[in-house]
Amino acid sequence: MIIPILAAFAAGLLVILSRQVNGRLSMSTTPLISSFWNHFVGFAFLSVVGLIVGGLIPANIAEMPWRIFTGGAIGVVFVASGSWLITRIGAVNSTLLVIAGQMVFGVIFDLLRGAPVTVWAAGLGVLLILAGMWLTQRKR
Amino acid sequence: MTSPPTQRTNPLHLLAAFASGGLLTLAIFVNGEAGRLGGAMFSSWLAHGVGTLVAIIFLAAVWRGQRAATAAATAKIGKAPLWAYIGGLCGAVTVMLTSISVNSPLALAGTLALGLAGQVVLSLAADFWGLLGLPKRKLDLRDAGAVILIAAGSLLIILFGLGAA
């Protein structure tokens, strides 16, 4: 059980490490160029791993719904905006507000598509998040 | 650092960060669907491949401005170190780590909760020490309050708000 726990925690560390590293690249280039390198290096690495392990590309890829191909396009904008933001509002604010947006829009999204939502917990969670966001934007 | 750390944050920047979290929700949703159809590695490989192509198209459309901006940035703070180009490795490895924990008793909720903890810990350290060449930021009680409120709200949503009946 210790290995999955460490894996999940390390995944969180890596999310921030990548934003920090991409942010540094964007300081010497631009957020869009930084986002390109992020995707290109990730793609090259995963292609190599896929060649070694095998079975990366499913046989039925042509029959998959078109929307699964949109994730990468959204990702380019997300990674570029992360680099742009971290150099302006810092790591803690970036982390907190991205998580806040992910949670609040996640609840709205699930409500819209009719997925099960426990209203008291989701509502209280959103209220706590909004209170936290109010703290980040107060003038010092 | 040549410039003093900015303490006053622009509310529009904070709003943009919040909105980008909404983009992340959408990306995770469609990438999750790709993962169910073809596996986590395939999903990540596809997202990085499509992302590479889309970034090239965007760059081609605005190349003159990007080249000028890069020249100006490099003149101001110097070339980026080589390690700054391999941020993409982190994202690729993240997928492998989360697929270990999602398929364990931790499931999706535990993976998200522990991942959130990892994000908060490293971003606090990053601002405190100004890790990897980014500006240092002073942290105060208000940051602590924001961390506690947003983390508590997120854990409530992750553990009790979504998925459960």
Side-chain angles (χ1 to χ4, degrees):
Chain A
M1 195 56 193
I2 190 76
I3 287 174
I5 289 174
L6 288 178
F9 185 78
L13 297 179
L14 283 175
V15 168
I16 301 309
L17 183 63
S18 80
R19 200 177 289 149
Q20 202 83 3
V21 171
N22 289 329
R24 176 62 190 87
L25 179 56
S26 81
M27 284 169 69
S28 290
T29 57
T30 69
L32 186 53
I33 289 174
S34 169
S35 184
F36 162 76
W37 282 106
N38 174 76
H39 285 83
F40 178 71
V41 168
F43 180 67
F45 175 74
L46 287 165
S47 297
V48 171
V49 173
L51 281 176
I52 296 167
V53 179
L56 181 64
I57 304 172
N60 60 344
I61 184 171
E63 292 140 43
M64 291 183 180
W66 61 270
R67 62 178 173 277
I68 68 159
F69 296 92
T70 61
I74 303 170
V76 169
V77 178
F78 176 74
V79 172
S81 75
S83 294
W84 188 81
L85 287 163
I86 197 171
T87 56
R88 283 165 177 79
I89 63 175
V92 170
N93 280 332
S94 301
T95 303
L96 292 180
L97 285 151
V98 169
I99 290 173
Q102 189 190 347
M103 292 297 142
V104 173
F105 284 107
V107 169
I108 295 171
F109 187 59
D110 275 4
L111 284 173
L112 287 179
R113 70 189 179 100
V117 172
T118 309
V119 175
W120 73 265
L124 186 58
V126 168
L127 281 180
L128 287 172
I129 289 171
L130 294 177
M133 287 173 63
W134 179 74
L135 276 184
T136 64
Q137 68 88 42
R138 283 191 64 193
K139 295 272 193 305
R140 285 157 199 274
Chain B
M1 291 307 299
T2 45
S3 58
T6 42
Q7 285 295 316
R8 191 162 292 184
T9 43
N10 182 336
L12 284 178
H13 292 165
L14 299 171
L15 209 60
F18 180 71
S20 81
L23 284 182
L24 186 59
T25 299
L26 282 181
I28 289 175
F29 182 75
V30 290
N31 291 341
E33 196 174 359
R36 275 191 301 281
L37 293 169
M41 280 277 287
F42 164 70
S43 165
S44 181
W45 175 79
L46 182 68
H48 281 90
V50 171
T52 303
L53 290 177
V54 171
I56 289 172
I57 294 167
F58 283 173
L59 280 172
V62 291
W63 182 240
R64 273 163 161 250
Q66 293 286 307
R67 203 170 52 178
T70 299
T74 308
K76 206 172 108 193
I77 66 157
K79 275 187 155 178
L82 266 185
W83 55 256
Y85 286 86
I86 57 168
L89 290 184
C90 300
V93 175
T94 302
V95 174
M96 299 172 187
L97 293 173
T98 49
S99 59
I100 293 174
S101 62
V102 165
N103 294 311
S104 79
L106 287 178
L108 183 61
T111 302
L112 287 172
L114 284 163
L116 189 144
Q119 291 190 45
V120 167
V121 166
L122 189 54
S123 59
L124 285 168
D127 272 352
F128 188 79
W129 285 298
L131 297 182
L132 301 168
L134 263 65
K136 247 186 228 187
R137 263 185 87 256
K138 248 187 228 148
L139 299 169
D140 60 18
L141 272 180
R142 248 188 296 251
D143 291 296
V147 166
I148 290 166
L149 286 170
I150 292 176
S154 302
L155 289 178
L156 207 54
I157 292 172
I158 292 168
L159 300 178
F160 304 107
L162 300 179

